Amino acid sequence: MQVISTKKAPAAIGPYSQAIQVGNLLYTSGQIPVDPATGAFVEGGVKEQTRQSLTNVKAILEEAGLQMSNVVKTTVYMADMNDFADMNAVYAEFFSEPYPARSAVAVKTLPKGALVEIEVIAEIR
């Protein structure tokens, strides 16, 4: 097991790691739309928050020597499923075919009042 950590994504604010590599898989913790340079949420709505969350995921993957094309599974947590189309439009900017498997669920609340949180599993090949 190896811990992956980068300053290009928000630091863990609790007893967890940004990502853990086990064998040929990398598991990221959920990424909320915090800009690591400022420590604050990005301004805007779900599109901007999705973009920042995925930018944070991408930074963690890059620290492990991976790309978004290594992602095999994503889980998207949303505060409001009515935002699905906007989230999906930005999500499509980060992935190409073959697309990773995905779950998208609405939850009651997310950390710090985020509109979206995204975690991924990536294959190291």
Side-chain angles (χ1 to χ4, degrees):
M1 180 169 78
Q2 179 180 350
V3 174
I4 305 297
S5 181
T6 178
K7 293 185 186 301
K8 295 179 181 177
I13 55 173
Y16 63 91
S17 300
Q18 287 177 333
I20 295 288
Q21 179 183 332
V22 179
N24 70 333
L25 294 176
L26 181 81
Y27 300 85
T28 70
S29 291
Q31 295 300 302
I32 59 175
V34 171
D35 180 338
T38 66
F41 273 13
V42 293
E43 291 188 21
V46 74
K47 285 184 176 183
E48 292 79 10
Q49 288 198 16
T50 300
R51 187 169 288 108
Q52 185 64 54
S53 294
L54 286 168
T55 297
N56 294 342
V57 165
K58 185 177 179 186
I60 294 167
L61 293 173
E62 288 174 350
E63 182 67 23
L66 303 176
Q67 301 173 355
M68 296 299 273
S69 61
N70 291 91
V71 175
V72 296
K73 171 72 167 77
T74 67
T75 304
V76 179
Y77 302 96
M78 299 174 55
D80 186 346
M81 197 54 79
N82 290 320
D83 290 334
F84 183 85
D86 286 340
M87 175 282 297
N88 203 47
V90 174
Y91 180 97
E93 297 172 9
F94 284 81
F95 295 101
S96 57
E97 292 188 28
Y99 299 111
R102 177 177 75 185
S103 299
V105 297
V107 296
K108 185 174 179 181
T109 57
L110 288 167
K112 297 188 173 194
L115 299 177
V116 65
E117 179 176 2
I118 302 172
E119 64 183 28
V120 307
I121 300 170
E123 179 186 26
I124 300 160
R125 31 182 197 261

